[in-house]
Amino acid sequence: MAEHEAEDRKPQSDEARSAFVPPSGVLAQEAAEEESQTTSEFAVPTGLATPSTTTQETEKSAFTTPNTYSSRNAPPAFTPAHGIPLVKLTKEVPWQDQMRTMLRMPVTERPAPEAAQKQEDESGPAVPRVLDLTLRIGELLLAGGEGAEDVEAAMFAVCRSYGLDRCEPNVTFTLLSISHQPSLVEDPVTASRTVRRRGTDYTRLAAVFHLVDDISDPELDVSLEEAYRRLAGIRRNRHPYPGWALTAASGLLAGSASVLVGGGALVFLVAAVGAMLGDRLAWLCAGRGLPEFYQFVGAAMPPAALGVALSFAHTEATMASAVITGGLFALIPGRALVAGVQDGLTGYYITAAARLLEVMYLIVGIVCGVLLVLSLGVMLDATNLTPETRFGVTSSRPVIQTLASMALSLAFAILLQQERNTVLIVTLNGGIAWVMYGALAQTPIALSPVAATAIAAGLVGLFGQLFSRYRFASSLPYVTAAIGPLLPGSATYFGLLALAQNDLNTGINSLTKAVATALAIAIGVNLGSEVSRLILKLPGAATAANRRAAKRTRGF
């Protein structure tokens, strides 16, 4: 016994001792417990309470309401020093001005929406269905040639009428999108739609405007189902004019334009036949699936060919030139040009660039078709293609030219598939535009054709906007056809003829004049529309000076 106690008192050797051996007096942990535990630098230290699995938050969105937020103890809303303007959404002004004013306001300053369409369910309509209806309406408006700002105003009106706040529509040339965020702490809902086909049917455009007006009217009950049903009916509606009427209208347009620039009865007949042949050829190309560029190339060739043929049969110089000029009047895309410049002036530069690029391609197609025929005529020594004097407004027959301008506007309205109750108004508007242009061109001051065109187009835009406000409709049916007599058909023809004769300086000068005239038309129409808005009552503004416009760059 004593020997064992003596061995315990002996010091242990270095091999028997280890730095990791627990010192004497410290209880060693059980081996089973050590094996079951894993250590990590991210592990919770011993003695620190871990959060309960029941109180642990699940993964949430960045828009989720914070835990520290309380609706009862919410911080006061920020009010600008200048105050928040009061916007009264009444039927005293068109819904276009109401929604345009709302769109130009910051989101935080917009008044809460007062839903015009009441729902039986207090929770409101389904958000995806409202956004889908909004996109479908915007698609028809954009495909019909409406400006980007008016399309956004219509989409915004539909959303607010069904009680959706914080909606932001976005319109480009081929894409429509809209985003709805119920509040600052909820997830936004975004939908988009692509516009793949565009057509000209102002009757359908007017029907869509009536639908948006009814949806925005608090006195009318238009449910989502009823709106979908009416929209489907608008899509199924046939065009108001048959195909043969459109072909005849193209002939009337070209014939009237040829008389407008100095032609007679024979010139009217030849120009009408050439335009109708070109229209049928364009329809044939469209039926074969050819792009629109080649359709314009084919449509420009028959009038030019008949003009060259007429130059060999008659010695009068102006006859062949008037025939070709009349055919150009029927092909120049004035509708797309006005819409493109209008989008650019209102700040929608992407859409404006796309529209103007489309206009450029169509004009290049017209140039190719006419130049092919004119080059052939020059090779055959058709000397009568060049007139001795530049034709235009003449004081010798003002009544005939005024009637020709009205007939041109009438034919243009039929080609645009306008409603029949608007044809007479736009015909008179076109006659007024030509009278104004002739009066300015024949004054002792003798304004330049570009300046006279801009003033006459401004008058067209002013009257068109007044008519549209009276009917709570789009201004395009009252404006587009009325600018037909002002289109630069003669300047375009002289430029192409000079290019065919290798006279580059004269050709470039004439084409530059044609471009300036086209821009003057578009700017004048837009300026006339803006003037009409300045002198009329606007929502939330007692005077025209209080009208709020979108802020743009200052040039730096």
Side-chain angles (χ1 to χ4, degrees):
M1 186 70 177
E3 293 178 357
H4 289 292
E5 292 178 356
E7 292 178 356
D8 294 337
R9 294 191 188 96
K10 291 180 181 180
Q12 296 180 353
S13 62
D14 293 338
E15 292 79 3
R17 290 183 299 173
S18 173
F20 297 99
V21 176
S24 178
V26 178
L27 298 177
Q29 297 181 353
E30 296 181 1
E33 184 180 356
E34 292 179 357
E35 293 178 357
S36 63
Q37 291 183 352
T38 58
T39 59
S40 171
E41 60 182 352
F42 297 103
V44 180
T46 305
L48 182 63
T50 59
S52 174
T53 55
T54 58
T55 60
Q56 187 175 4
E57 293 185 356
T58 58
E59 184 179 357
K60 294 185 178 181
S61 169
F63 299 96
T64 306
T65 307
N67 294 332
T68 58
Y69 177 80
S70 175
S71 59
R72 295 184 178 181
N73 300 324
F78 171 75
T79 302
H82 54 77
I84 298 177
L86 177 61
V87 179
K88 297 180 180 180
L89 303 180
T90 63
K91 292 294 292 183
E92 298 177 358
V93 293
W95 60 264
Q96 296 96 314
D97 283 341
Q98 298 173 8
M99 297 302 112
R100 188 180 292 108
T101 303
M102 298 289 291
L103 283 173
R104 290 177 176 177
M105 294 175 60
V107 179
T108 56
E109 298 182 9
R110 294 175 184 171
E114 299 178 2
Q117 305 301 325
K118 308 300 180 182
Q119 303 293 325
E120 297 180 359
D121 187 3
E122 295 182 357
S123 61
V127 174
R129 293 201 67 194
V130 175
L131 297 184
D132 179 70
L133 175 67
T134 302
L135 290 174
R136 291 177 183 272
I137 289 177
E139 178 190 11
L140 287 181
L141 293 177
L142 187 62
E146 191 62 64
E149 187 177 27
D150 289 333
V151 175
E152 285 193 0
M155 296 171 64
F156 194 71
V158 175
C159 288
R160 290 186 64 88
S161 298
Y162 287 105
L164 298 188
D165 194 10
R166 297 180 180 274
C167 288
E168 288 296 333
N170 186 23
V171 176
T172 59
F173 186 54
T174 57
L175 181 65
L176 298 167
S177 63
I178 187 168
S179 178
H180 165 64
Q181 186 177 351
S183 64
L184 293 176
V185 294
E186 294 186 55
D187 295 339
V189 180
T190 303
S192 62
R193 194 174 184 87
T194 303
V195 180
R196 302 190 183 277
R197 292 189 60 186
R198 293 183 301 274
T200 304
D201 190 345
Y202 281 2
T203 299
R204 179 179 297 175
L205 188 70
V208 177
F209 262 76
H210 290 319
L211 174 60
V212 177
D213 186 46
D214 292 342
I215 293 176
S216 306
D217 192 351
E219 299 179 359
L220 298 177
D221 185 13
V222 182
S223 62
L224 273 176
E225 290 72 17
E226 176 67 16
Y228 268 108
R229 187 190 64 81
R230 289 181 56 179
L231 191 62
I234 293 173
R235 287 180 174 273
R236 288 193 303 265
N237 282 346
R238 297 175 60 88
H239 297 307
Y241 307 103
W244 64 266
L246 299 180
T247 302
S250 63
L252 177 62
L253 193 154
S256 301
S258 64
V259 174
L260 200 64
V261 295
L266 179 61
V267 172
F268 176 90
L269 181 61
V270 176
V273 172
M276 289 188 289
L277 291 176
D279 180 76
R280 288 293 90 190
L281 185 58
W283 277 103
L284 181 62
C285 295
R288 296 297 184 270
L290 292 178
E292 198 171 13
F293 175 84
Y294 299 104
Q295 298 176 26
F296 272 77
V297 173
M301 294 178 69
L306 289 182
V308 172
L310 190 63
S311 66
F312 288 104
H314 292 272
T315 57
E316 188 176 354
T318 58
M319 296 183 67
S321 300
V323 170
I324 300 176
T325 304
L328 291 175
F329 266 90
L331 295 177
I332 295 176
R335 174 183 58 88
L337 176 66
V338 172
V341 175
Q342 182 178 0
D343 287 341
L345 294 176
T346 52
Y348 295 84
Y349 301 114
I350 297 178
T351 308
R355 290 186 189 271
L356 294 178
L357 184 62
E358 180 191 31
V359 171
M360 186 192 72
Y361 271 101
L362 299 182
I363 291 179
V364 169
I366 298 172
V367 169
C368 292
V370 175
L371 274 181
L372 287 174
V373 179
L374 286 181
S375 300
L376 180 61
V378 172
M379 292 174 58
L380 297 177
D381 196 18
T383 57
N384 290 333
L385 287 176
T386 304
E388 297 178 356
T389 58
R390 299 300 176 97
F391 42 69
V393 181
T394 58
S395 58
S396 59
R397 49 177 198 171
V399 177
I400 295 177
Q401 288 192 328
T402 303
L403 293 177
S405 65
M406 296 174 65
L408 191 152
S409 300
L410 172 65
F412 209 165
I414 296 175
L415 289 175
L416 294 174
Q417 301 281 359
Q418 292 191 195
E419 291 181 300
R420 298 181 180 179
N421 57 358
T422 64
V423 172
L424 178 60
I425 296 176
V426 75
T427 301
L428 295 177
N429 201 10
I432 293 174
W434 180 258
V435 170
M436 175 61 67
Y437 172 77
L440 294 174
Q442 293 294 326
T443 55
I445 303 177
L447 292 179
S448 66
V450 176
T453 300
I455 296 175
L459 191 63
V460 169
L462 176 62
F463 286 165
Q465 195 64 231
L466 293 177
F467 285 131
S468 66
R469 289 169 179 269
Y470 175 74
R471 294 177 176 266
F472 288 85
S474 173
S475 61
L476 287 181
Y478 303 99
V479 170
T480 306
I483 64 174
L486 304 176
L487 293 176
S490 58
T492 304
Y493 163 71
F494 286 124
L496 297 180
L497 181 60
L499 292 179
Q501 295 174 342
N502 294 325
D503 189 357
L504 297 181
N505 292 331
T506 304
I508 292 175
N509 290 335
S510 297
L511 292 179
T512 303
K513 179 181 176 182
V515 172
T517 304
L519 293 179
I521 293 173
I523 295 174
V525 169
N526 181 264
L527 183 61
S529 301
E530 293 297 328
V531 168
S532 67
R533 294 193 183 104
L534 290 175
I535 62 178
L536 294 177
K537 185 177 180 181
L538 293 169
T543 61
N546 294 331
R547 180 173 181 261
R548 304 185 63 185
K551 293 182 179 180
R552 306 299 175 197
T553 58
R554 301 291 188 239
F556 51 83

